Amino acid sequence: MAKITGAEIMVKSLHEEGVRHIFGYPGGVLLPLCDRLFDEKEIKFHLTRHEQGAVHAADGYARATGEVGVCVATSGPGATNLVTGIATAYMDSIPIVAITGQVKCTLIGNDAFQEADMVGITRPITKHNYLVKDVKELARTVKEAFHIARSGRPGPVLIDLPVDVQMNGAEFKYPRTVSLKGYKPTYEGHPGQIKRIAQALEKSKRPVIYAGGGIILSGAEKELTKLARKTDIPVTTTMMGLGAFPEDDKLSLGMLGMHGTAYANHAIQDSDMIIAVGARFDDRVTGRLDAFAPNALVVHIDIDPSSVSKNVHVDIPVIGDARKILRELNKSVKKGDYTQWHRMINKWKKELPLRYKDGKTIKPQYVVEQIYQLTKDEDVIITTEVGQNQMWAAQFFTYTKPRTWISSGGLGTMGYGFPAAIGAQIGKPGSIVIDIAGDGSIQMNIQELATAVCEKIPVKVVILNNGYLGMVRQWQELFYDKRYAFTPLDAGKCTMCPDFVKLAESFGATGMRITRKEEVVPALKKMLKTKGPVMLDVLIDKEENVFPMVPAGEAINNMLHGLA
């Protein structure tokens, strides 16, 4: 068998894994791979304007499609620019393979130009990582990397690829199977434990299903919906679980936690049984741990055994794939009599709905509601940045399908939403992709407007512009006597900085701005009809807050309900 270069082996291996899109930025030690990709017909290389944009785009692509996202960067600063995005994917269990260039093998450890120890740097934030020093190991490495990224609890895997390995030759033989000592994810739940759940449910009077992002990752949304409707148990989701259960269903409690619905938080706290599926009891969900759901028997279904009883004591653990386990559980459960429980929940829903005080200024909640009204009959994907914009988008858009909500949950990465929207739009070209952003976070990766314009990627960006780093300002208002230290973005002589309309136009995109409530719906309609990328700058109420809010360190049923 003839030998081919390491760069060719990499590309052939990507073909074997079904890769169609790569997001990246070239560099000196990546030249052999980039040169090989230049003639590629089946894999499209998307040139972002920053490596962080590349990794977030790969992440958004993975979340929208369910496939493994792929990004590449050169060595040194190019590779380290991927770190925030890799950590973002790691925290939210998103399958990514990140390929970084590296200096020659003989120079590794010599402080060579643009050398960085990416294996060491990314060890805590990857599911696994590789430094390939022998071209003969490259095909096997790629096979393993994709297997690890997509199997078990998904996550990012890094392949560090020295330039001489890209140039060296070897025969190409792609492995058909993977066998990794010590890595055997459990998929089938223990039948005895599943039986215990059904038995416990027969005694429960106030059960709640608490669904996380693991439902979406395993494709278990149908099984979850069947469980809820068959048993008549209400469902609350984490922020990462939005879309796992239709929020227009009468059993939906919406999102719980720090900025969740009041009725979801009260329901969890008053429940006598929690069935947690694909969720990890994040501190933004539990609030004060020693006060969390004090009378509840806790069931935890998760594919990652290290997540079970990590934060909250679990009475019935079931390790395995959520879809498989729920499918089995649905065979043995029956409808319960939760009349009193539903009566109580409906009372909370009536007395403590999500709401805001409307007025002369544009309220961000109103903008999000109108986006939903105008797109609810379309295939729409919402991405967000991080902060108030993220919470308003989570609260006031009604999510009914999985993979339609894309946001940085665990790491809370500002600058995530726009490049993620680009990746999602490439993965789902038939969908309307809208990034709901803040004026602070959008500036962190706004250079990707060039990517969207040059590739004619029709993403829409709605900036909820209040002139502040809004969520931090909210905390300063509530807990620091309104001392707005370093959060005003339009302080001093800096007004309208940047001018988002001019900025969008300078990139070749369409820029729009509105300042009055009556302009919201016409502007959104115009935005949706406009071809190509659009940036809509919405000047909202400057000191609007996100409510309800659980103060840090409080139990989740101890909420602030103020209206701005």
Side-chain angles (χ1 to χ4, degrees), residues 67-128:
E67 300 172 10
V68 177
V70 180
C71 59
V72 301
T74 192
S75 63
T80 57
N81 281 341
L82 295 180
V83 168
T84 297
I86 292 173
T88 302
Y90 183 74
M91 290 289 281
D92 291 344
S93 306
I94 304 304
I96 282 179
V97 171
I99 302 165
T100 48
Q102 185 55 276
V103 300
K104 286 183 178 179
C105 292
T106 53
L107 294 177
I108 292 175
N110 288 5
D111 293 336
F113 176 68
Q114 290 195 333
E115 181 194 359
D117 174 12
M118 288 309 295
V119 168
I121 289 170
T122 62
R123 184 166 289 127
I125 54 168
T126 51
K127 200 174 169 189
H128 196 60

Side-chain angles (χ1 to χ4, degrees), residues 11 15 20 36-45:
V11 174
H15 276 298
R20 294 171 295 153
R36 174 60 186 80
L37 286 169
F38 189 58
D39 295 325
E40 184 56 38
K41 304 297 183 188
E42 298 178 27
I43 300 176
K44 183 170 176 55
F45 189 100

Side-chain angles (χ1 to χ4, degrees), residues 156-442:
V157 178
L158 180 129
I159 301 173
D160 203 25
L161 191 58
V163 62
D164 50 337
V165 176
Q166 298 172 50
M167 300 169 71
N168 292 340
E171 295 177 352
F172 178 68
K173 185 176 181 181
Y174 203 66
R176 294 296 104 190
T177 58
V178 174
S179 179
L180 295 169
K181 188 177 181 181
Y183 181 71
K184 305 288 182 188
T186 299
Y187 291 96
E188 306 291 340
H190 192 286
Q193 295 295 79
I194 296 173
K195 186 177 179 181
R196 284 184 64 196
I197 299 174
Q199 291 171 339
L201 259 181
E202 293 179 2
K203 300 175 183 176
S204 173
K205 301 296 183 186
R206 303 186 306 279
V208 173
I209 297 171
Y210 155 44
I215 292 288
I216 296 169
L217 292 170
S218 73
E221 56 273 3
K222 290 181 180 176
E223 286 75 11
L224 172 69
T225 301
K226 182 177 180 179
L227 174 66
R229 291 176 178 167
K230 186 176 182 182
T231 57
D232 204 28
I233 298 176
V235 180
T236 183
T237 71
T238 66
M239 192 180 79
M240 299 312 299
L242 291 175
F245 186 76
E247 291 189 317
D248 55 359
D249 191 289
K250 66 178 182 180
L251 291 171
S252 174
L253 299 172
M255 183 177 76
L256 81 166
M258 179 175 280
H259 292 295
T261 65
Y263 38 92
N265 287 352
H266 282 301
I268 280 284
Q269 284 299 84
D270 269 29
S271 67
D272 64 2
M273 181 173 178
I274 295 172
I275 304 175
V277 191
R280 57 190 176 89
F281 294 94
D282 179 88
D283 60 287
R284 289 293 168 110
V285 162
T286 62
R288 205 177 89 208
L289 266 177
D290 62 356
F292 179 73
N295 300 312
L297 179 142
V298 178
V299 174
H300 194 177
I301 299 169
D302 204 286
I303 200 163
D304 181 3
S306 70
S307 288
V308 177
S309 288
K310 185 176 183 179
N311 298 323
V312 170
H313 172 74
V314 172
D315 299 288
I316 306 177
V318 190
I319 307 303
D321 176 68
R323 183 169 60 172
K324 290 176 179 289
I325 292 169
L326 292 183
R327 190 174 292 163
E328 291 303 310
L329 182 60
N330 277 328
K331 295 177 181 176
S332 53
V333 295
K334 56 187 178 183
K335 187 174 182 178
D337 180 8
Y338 307 125
T339 305
Q340 293 297 323
W341 184 222
H342 285 301
R343 190 171 294 150
M344 176 63 76
I345 287 173
N346 289 334
K347 182 172 180 287
W348 286 323
K349 283 185 173 181
K350 184 177 180 180
E351 293 176 351
L352 299 168
L354 285 173
R355 57 184 173 176
Y356 59 94
K357 186 186 293 183
D358 214 349
K360 294 180 180 178
T361 55
I362 301 177
K363 294 291 184 177
Q365 301 94 330
Y366 175 76
V367 178
V368 176
E369 285 177 336
Q370 297 314 306
I371 293 173
Y372 169 69
Q373 290 298 327
L374 292 171
T375 61
K376 63 182 179 182
D377 297 325
E378 308 284 346
D379 288 329
V380 62
I381 295 173
I382 300 295
T383 73
T384 77
E385 306 294 334
V386 167
Q388 288 181 313
N389 61 86
Q390 180 185 35
M391 292 303 132
W392 287 318
Q395 291 177 332
F396 289 91
F397 195 95
T398 303
Y399 299 91
T400 59
K401 299 175 185 174
R403 301 193 182 281
T404 56
W405 160 262
I406 294 177
S407 189
S408 170
L411 198 64
T413 306
M414 290 178 69
Y416 168 82
F418 182 40
I422 290 174
Q425 186 76 79
I426 289 170
K428 292 287 187 181
S431 297
I432 298 169
V433 181
I434 302 172
D435 176 34
I436 297 178
D439 49 322
S441 52
I442 189 64

